[in-house]
Protein backbone atom coordinates (compact mmCIF):
# COMPACT_ATOMS: atom_id res chain seq x y z
CA UNK A 1 0.00 0.00 0.00
CA UNK A 2 1.27 3.47 -0.84
CA UNK A 3 1.07 6.16 1.84
CA UNK A 4 1.08 9.87 1.16
CA UNK A 5 2.59 12.31 3.66
CA UNK A 6 -0.80 12.92 5.27
CA UNK A 7 -1.34 9.18 5.86
CA UNK A 8 2.14 8.95 7.40
CA UNK A 9 1.45 11.87 9.75
CA UNK A 10 -1.97 10.47 10.63
CA UNK A 11 -0.50 7.07 11.47
CA UNK A 12 2.18 8.69 13.62
CA UNK A 13 -0.42 10.75 15.51
CA UNK A 14 -2.60 7.68 16.08
CA UNK A 15 0.37 5.67 17.33
CA UNK A 16 1.22 8.44 19.80
CA UNK A 17 -2.36 8.61 21.09
CA UNK A 18 -5.18 6.67 19.44
CA UNK A 19 -7.79 8.32 21.65
CA UNK A 20 -7.47 11.61 19.79
CA UNK A 21 -10.74 12.65 18.22
CA UNK A 22 -11.12 13.11 14.48
CA UNK A 23 -11.63 16.81 15.26
CA UNK A 24 -8.25 17.02 17.02
CA UNK A 25 -6.57 15.11 14.21
CA UNK A 26 -8.24 17.26 11.54
CA UNK A 27 -6.80 20.38 13.18
CA UNK A 28 -3.28 18.87 13.27
CA UNK A 29 -3.48 17.67 9.67
CA UNK A 30 -5.30 20.65 8.18
CA UNK A 31 -8.11 18.43 6.88
CA UNK A 32 -11.84 18.24 7.44
CA UNK A 33 -13.17 15.90 10.10
CA UNK A 34 -14.82 13.82 7.37
CA UNK A 35 -11.57 13.48 5.43
CA UNK A 36 -9.73 12.29 8.56
CA UNK A 37 -12.52 9.85 9.38
CA UNK A 38 -12.43 8.41 5.85
CA UNK A 39 -8.64 8.03 5.94
CA UNK A 40 -8.80 6.22 9.27
CA UNK A 41 -11.54 3.90 7.99
CA UNK A 42 -9.48 3.16 4.85
CA UNK A 43 -6.43 2.32 7.01
CA UNK A 44 -8.55 0.10 9.29
CA UNK A 45 -10.32 -1.69 6.43
CA UNK A 46 -7.05 -2.39 4.63
CA UNK A 47 -5.57 -3.89 7.80
CA UNK A 48 -2.82 -1.28 8.19
CA UNK A 49 -4.39 -0.43 11.55
CA UNK A 50 -5.07 -3.85 13.03
CA UNK A 51 -6.34 -2.84 16.49
CA UNK A 52 -6.25 -0.24 19.25
CA UNK A 53 -4.78 -1.11 22.64
CA UNK A 54 -3.98 0.35 26.05
CA UNK A 55 -0.29 0.17 26.97
CA UNK A 56 0.24 -0.57 30.65
CA UNK A 57 3.05 0.73 32.84
CA UNK A 58 4.85 -2.51 33.74
CA UNK A 59 6.16 -0.99 36.98
CA UNK A 60 2.66 -0.16 38.22
CA UNK A 61 1.37 -3.67 37.45
CA UNK A 62 4.43 -5.45 38.93
CA UNK A 63 5.66 -6.97 35.66
CA UNK A 64 8.91 -5.02 35.43
CA UNK A 65 11.36 -7.91 35.83
CA UNK A 66 12.04 -8.56 32.15
CA UNK A 67 13.73 -11.73 30.93
CA UNK A 68 14.84 -12.73 27.45
CA UNK A 69 14.78 -16.49 27.39
CA UNK A 70 16.36 -18.41 24.50
CA UNK A 71 14.76 -21.81 23.93
CA UNK A 72 16.14 -24.74 21.98
CA UNK A 73 13.82 -27.58 20.97
CA UNK A 74 14.91 -31.22 21.01
CA UNK A 75 14.13 -31.55 17.30
CA UNK A 76 12.77 -29.34 14.54
CA UNK A 77 9.90 -31.63 13.65
CA UNK A 78 6.84 -29.74 12.44
CA UNK A 79 4.67 -31.28 15.18
CA UNK A 80 7.15 -30.17 17.91
CA UNK A 81 7.33 -26.63 16.56
CA UNK A 82 3.55 -26.28 16.26
CA UNK A 83 2.93 -27.79 19.69
CA UNK A 84 5.47 -25.47 21.34
CA UNK A 85 3.93 -22.44 19.63
CA UNK A 86 0.40 -23.45 20.71
CA UNK A 87 1.50 -23.98 24.31
CA UNK A 88 3.50 -20.75 24.54
CA UNK A 89 0.37 -18.79 23.56
CA UNK A 90 -1.20 -19.82 26.89
CA UNK A 91 1.61 -18.48 29.08
CA UNK A 92 0.52 -14.96 30.03
CA UNK A 93 3.99 -14.08 31.36
CA UNK A 94 5.33 -14.38 27.80
CA UNK A 95 4.63 -11.07 26.06
CA UNK A 96 6.57 -11.79 22.87
CA UNK A 97 7.81 -14.95 21.17
CA UNK A 98 10.05 -15.05 18.12
CA UNK A 99 10.96 -18.11 16.05
CA UNK A 100 14.59 -17.36 15.15
CA UNK A 101 17.60 -18.73 13.32
CA UNK A 102 20.89 -19.45 15.00
CA UNK A 103 21.87 -21.45 18.08
CA UNK A 104 18.38 -21.29 19.59
CA UNK A 105 14.95 -21.80 18.08
CA UNK A 106 12.93 -19.20 20.00
CA UNK A 107 13.45 -16.02 21.96
CA UNK A 108 10.80 -15.26 24.56
CA UNK A 109 10.25 -11.91 26.23
CA UNK A 110 8.90 -12.60 29.70
CA UNK A 111 7.56 -10.10 32.22
CA UNK A 112 7.26 -11.16 35.86
CA UNK A 113 7.39 -9.55 39.31
CA UNK A 114 10.87 -10.59 40.41
CA UNK A 115 13.47 -13.38 40.33
CA UNK A 116 11.39 -15.63 42.56
CA UNK A 117 8.40 -15.18 40.26
CA UNK A 118 10.61 -16.06 37.29
CA UNK A 119 11.88 -19.18 39.05
CA UNK A 120 8.29 -20.26 39.71
CA UNK A 121 7.41 -19.59 36.07
CA UNK A 122 10.36 -21.68 34.88
CA UNK A 123 9.67 -24.59 37.22
CA UNK A 124 5.90 -24.75 36.97
CA UNK A 125 5.24 -23.61 33.41
CA UNK A 126 8.06 -23.28 30.90
CA UNK A 127 10.03 -26.42 31.74
CA UNK A 128 6.85 -28.48 31.77
CA UNK A 129 6.42 -27.90 28.03
CA UNK A 130 7.38 -30.88 25.93
CA UNK A 131 10.30 -30.99 23.49
CA UNK A 132 12.43 -28.26 25.14
CA UNK A 133 16.10 -29.29 25.03
CA UNK A 134 17.56 -26.22 26.77
CA UNK A 135 16.98 -22.63 27.80
CA UNK A 136 19.26 -19.66 28.37
CA UNK A 137 18.01 -16.60 30.26
CA UNK A 138 19.22 -13.00 30.19
CA UNK A 139 17.85 -10.41 32.59
CA UNK A 140 17.17 -6.78 31.71
CA UNK A 141 19.43 -4.29 33.48
CA UNK A 142 17.78 -1.19 32.06
CA UNK A 143 15.40 -0.38 29.25
CA UNK A 144 17.14 1.77 26.65
CA UNK A 145 14.32 1.86 24.07
CA UNK A 146 10.82 0.45 24.06
CA UNK A 147 8.39 1.64 21.44
CA UNK A 148 5.40 0.28 19.61
CA UNK A 149 5.58 3.04 17.01
CA UNK A 150 6.48 2.29 13.39
CA UNK A 151 7.67 5.31 11.42
CA UNK A 152 7.03 5.16 7.66
Amino acid sequence: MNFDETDKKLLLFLQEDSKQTTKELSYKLGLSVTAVYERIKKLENSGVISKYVALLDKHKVSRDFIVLCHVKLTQHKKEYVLQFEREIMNLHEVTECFHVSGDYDYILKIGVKDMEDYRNFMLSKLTTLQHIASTHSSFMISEVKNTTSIVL
Side-chain angles (χ1 to χ4, degrees):
M1 184 171 180
N2 293 323
F3 303 100
D4 63 18
E5 288 305 310
T6 303
D7 284 334
K8 291 177 183 179
K9 287 179 187 175
L10 176 58
L11 288 167
L12 190 60
F13 291 144
L14 287 171
Q15 288 180 95
E16 288 171 357
D17 179 7
S18 65
K19 290 186 77 172
Q20 296 177 81
T21 64
T22 51
K23 184 177 181 179
E24 292 169 318
L25 291 166
S26 69
Y27 177 75
K28 290 180 180 181
L29 294 168
L31 298 173
S32 70
V33 172
T34 302
V36 170
Y37 175 82
E38 288 173 357
R39 281 180 182 261
I40 291 172
K41 280 295 162 205
K42 178 184 78 169
L43 292 165
E44 290 171 345
N45 292 337
S46 67
V48 172
I49 298 174
S50 59
K51 65 179 169 178
Y52 297 92
V53 299
L55 300 176
L56 305 183
D57 182 324
K58 60 183 163 291
H59 299 284
K60 293 183 179 179
V61 296
S62 297
R63 297 273 193 230
D64 54 340
F65 190 80
I66 305 300
V67 182
L68 295 178
C69 182
H70 296 70
V71 176
K72 186 181 290 189
L73 298 181
T74 55
Q75 293 181 22
H76 297 112
K77 288 183 175 181
K78 182 179 179 180
E79 63 189 88
Y80 290 7
V81 167
L82 295 177
Q83 181 179 0
F84 176 81
E85 291 177 359
R86 271 193 313 273
E87 291 175 341
I88 213 71
M89 296 299 286
N90 295 321
L91 302 179
H92 68 271
E93 294 89 349
V94 177
T95 57
E96 297 179 57
C97 175
F98 303 97
H99 192 183
V100 297
S101 63
D103 292 337
Y104 290 91
D105 300 311
Y106 292 91
I107 299 175
L108 311 178
K109 182 177 177 186
I110 301 164
V112 290
K113 181 180 176 185
D114 53 24
M115 181 63 82
E116 182 180 347
D117 201 20
Y118 182 62
R119 182 177 191 277
N120 290 335
F121 167 77
M122 285 294 289
L123 294 175
S124 66
K125 294 183 181 180
L126 189 61
T127 58
T128 64
L129 300 184
Q130 295 181 19
H131 315 301
I132 292 180
S134 66
T135 63
H136 175 84
S137 300
S138 300
F139 306 98
M140 181 181 75
I141 295 171
S142 69
E143 188 172 84
V144 177
K145 181 177 181 179
N146 181 352
T147 182
T148 59
S149 185
I150 298 172
V151 179
L152 303 176

